[in-house]
Amino acid sequence: MADENIEMKEEQELAPFDPTKKKKKKKVVIQDPVEDVAESSQTDKSDSLPVNDGLESSFAGMKKKKKKPVESISLNDETVDAGEDLDDHVNDDEEGEEIVQQQQRYPWEGSERDYIYDELLGRVFNILRENNPELAGDRRRTVMRPPQVLREGTKKTVFVNFMDLCKTMHRQPDHVMLFLLAELGTSGSLDGQQRLVVKGRFAPKNFEGILRRYITEYVICLGCKSPDTILSKENRLFFLRCEKCGSQRSVAQIKAGFVARVGRRKT
Amino acid sequence: MVELDIQIPSAFDPFAEAKDSDAPGTQENIHIRIQQRNGKKSLTTVQGLKKEYSYERILKDLKKDFCCNGNVVQDKELGKIIQLQGDQRKKVSHFLVQTGIAKKDQIKIHGF
């Protein structure tokens, strides 16, 4: 039955159960059973308003009260919160109308319709941003400096700030080097000043592209996208553990693949 | 009657599921790499094509399409590998997708 359905929903909505409400509901409901709750509550308000005004106002008060304590957290400090809450309990019966007259902070305020998901989500994020901004999304981006590359002679390339980049990524230089050399398909080594010397001619943006791929594969946590991760080796497998969210995943081993023989062949 | 509910061990492949999933190590990826040679010349290698395909015929088409030379190399561990002259990575991956030899997510382009 339609009216029973709606009653159930009402009970869920308003924690303190009011017997008068139930009566009113039963009287009023004559609608289509397929209508959803939001719509039904609105239409039923327009129906019932001329008939029993007093009940309706108290209903508004109830709804208000349910929202109020949470809202007051965002508006005031936490210390005031308890007092506010008590106040609500006191005046919600007599002066239900008065509370409705407050400022229109949320789109559903003042109206009897149910709030939709997007509005509630926006509200949660507003509160979160006010109270502790570091949790609400827009975190700082880790900025990597662009790779500095020098040419050594004509055939070799020196990656100057290789060590710095390894440090900002918190990765072992060996591991990064292995990946870089495997991707570039060349050979190379670290020199005396901890710079990476690679055989072949490469532009800075070549290195940048490969480092970008390295970061997505071996640095960034898949769950929370934070670069604050640790790469550890557990019996021959590499695991990536996130320091922020604690998630762990295994990462593929670096394979050099096929390297064709280039250059002069000595028979 | 006695219900015969005994599971008869058959030829069950425990890795059957794993092959379909895209977990690392299970999928046969096609790696397209580039290698620098002297000067501005370079070399493209295609590794990991399925065994069923005739490498020679693929190579023939590749050579014709890209107007380059190339050959098939037999490697001890990695099997047959197609080598092409010049940087043909984009073109090779496009070709493989278009002919239906491989899907886009199976192809991995390495190099800069």
Side-chain angles (χ1 to χ4, degrees):
Chain A
M1 282 298 283
D3 52 356
E4 270 163 20
N5 274 343
I6 288 161
E7 258 170 50
M8 292 280 282
K9 298 241 174 72
E10 283 300 326
E11 277 171 39
Q12 282 168 5
E13 229 169 66
L14 315 165
F17 181 61
D18 203 340
T20 56
K21 172 81 41 47
K22 189 178 175 185
K23 217 179 272 170
K24 187 206 75 180
K25 277 287 161 201
K26 258 199 182 141
K27 230 189 292 173
V28 176
V29 170
I30 359 145
Q31 301 128 353
D32 219 336
V34 278
E35 270 183 336
D36 60 28
V37 190
E39 219 178 343
S40 72
S41 75
Q42 219 157 23
T43 47
D44 131 47
K45 183 199 170 189
S46 58
D47 278 350
S48 64
L49 256 181
V51 188
N52 37 15
D53 214 341
L55 274 174
E56 197 51 45
S57 74
S58 87
F59 175 71
M62 297 283 271
K63 196 127 191 184
K64 201 66 216 160
K65 194 203 75 187
K66 201 189 132 214
K67 245 174 306 184
K68 195 64 199 296
V70 205
E71 190 190 328
S72 66
I73 296 173
S74 71
L75 287 174
N76 319 327
D77 285 331
E78 279 83 347
T79 46
V80 200
D81 185 29
E84 281 273 316
D85 208 5
L86 272 178
D87 276 357
D88 277 344
H89 277 297
V90 174
N91 62 11
D92 100 79
D93 276 334
E94 304 104 44
E95 302 158 327
E97 290 286 352
E98 197 192 285
I99 309 170
V100 191
Q101 305 297 327
Q102 280 185 345
Q103 84 280 37
Q104 300 276 316
R105 197 177 151 83
Y106 302 113
W108 61 79
E109 221 141 284
S111 70
E112 278 306 309
R113 72 186 175 87
D114 264 339
Y115 17 74
I116 56 173
Y117 178 74
D118 287 333
E119 293 167 353
L120 284 180
L121 196 67
R123 178 172 160 277
V124 161
F125 268 95
N126 281 335
I127 294 168
L128 196 63
R129 216 163 280 143
E130 275 167 38
N131 291 333
N132 25 6
E134 70 270 15
L135 290 179
D138 33 61
R139 72 209 112 148
R140 58 182 177 84
R141 290 173 61 89
T142 37
V143 183
M144 297 269 294
R145 262 163 290 138
Q148 293 173 327
V149 165
L150 294 176
R151 182 69 50 76
E152 190 178 283
T154 50
K155 297 231 165 145
K156 281 180 185 166
T157 310
V158 183
F159 191 164
V160 178
N161 56 357
F162 174 68
M163 270 299 167
D164 289 352
L165 292 178
C166 289
K167 281 209 183 88
T168 51
M169 289 189 297
H170 306 287
R171 277 307 102 92
Q172 291 293 315
D174 287 346
H175 191 255
V176 184
M177 192 174 91
L178 212 63
F179 184 82
L180 273 177
L181 295 180
E183 284 294 297
L184 292 169
T186 52
S187 54
S189 57
L190 287 175
D191 73 351
Q193 297 147 303
Q194 300 290 293
R195 302 179 306 180
L196 182 70
V197 184
V198 179
K199 209 173 144 204
R201 295 198 291 196
F202 299 102
K205 80 176 203 306
N206 298 343
F207 284 108
E208 201 184 312
I210 293 172
L211 281 174
R212 216 172 274 279
R213 234 177 307 157
Y214 179 83
I215 288 167
T216 50
E217 192 152 353
Y218 293 100
V219 180
I220 295 283
C221 166
L222 281 182
C224 62
K225 303 274 189 294
S226 101
D228 194 8
T229 53
I230 287 178
L231 189 73
S232 59
K233 195 175 186 179
E234 285 162 35
N235 45 27
R236 290 202 272 171
L237 293 173
F238 279 106
F239 283 97
L240 192 72
R241 203 179 70 242
C242 180
E243 291 286 279
K244 279 265 165 57
C245 65
S247 76
Q248 199 170 18
R249 68 172 166 120
S250 66
V251 290
Q253 237 167 353
I254 299 169
K255 272 186 255 163
F258 175 72
V259 180
R261 239 180 100 186
V262 179
R264 198 176 297 132
R265 292 168 196 224
K266 291 174 211 139
T267 46
Chain B
M1 284 293 285
V2 183
E3 294 278 321
L4 279 180
D5 226 5
I6 307 160
Q7 291 230 328
I8 297 151
S10 57
F12 172 68
D13 185 8
F15 299 109
E17 276 174 45
K19 269 175 194 154
D20 298 334
S21 72
D22 52 4
T26 53
Q27 209 177 15
E28 299 285 307
N29 282 325
I30 293 171
H31 300 274
I32 301 172
R33 292 195 174 79
I34 189 165
Q35 237 180 313
Q36 282 199 333
R37 288 177 59 230
N38 38 6
K40 62 177 183 181
K41 300 199 186 329
S42 50
L43 192 70
T44 309
T45 62
V46 182
Q47 174 201 327
L49 285 176
K50 282 208 184 97
K51 298 268 193 312
E52 299 94 87
Y53 294 119
S54 155
Y55 278 55
E56 279 74 19
R57 291 182 70 178
I58 291 175
L59 180 69
K60 202 166 189 178
D61 266 14
L62 288 174
K63 276 157 71 168
K64 198 154 199 173
D65 279 12
F66 310 153
C67 299
C68 67
N69 209 348
N71 70 332
V72 178
V73 177
Q74 180 74 43
D75 192 83
K76 264 181 225 144
E77 289 130 38
L78 304 163
K80 282 183 181 170
I81 283 151
I82 291 178
Q83 283 186 1
L84 293 164
Q85 283 181 5
D87 183 359
Q88 317 282 5
R89 290 172 298 163
K90 290 264 169 59
K91 290 189 221 163
V92 169
S93 89
H94 187 71
F95 174 88
L96 292 179
V97 172
Q98 208 169 36
T99 50
I101 292 172
K103 286 191 205 74
K104 185 108 188 194
D105 51 344
Q106 282 179 313
I107 300 172
K108 279 198 166 180
I109 298 181
H110 298 265
F112 33 85

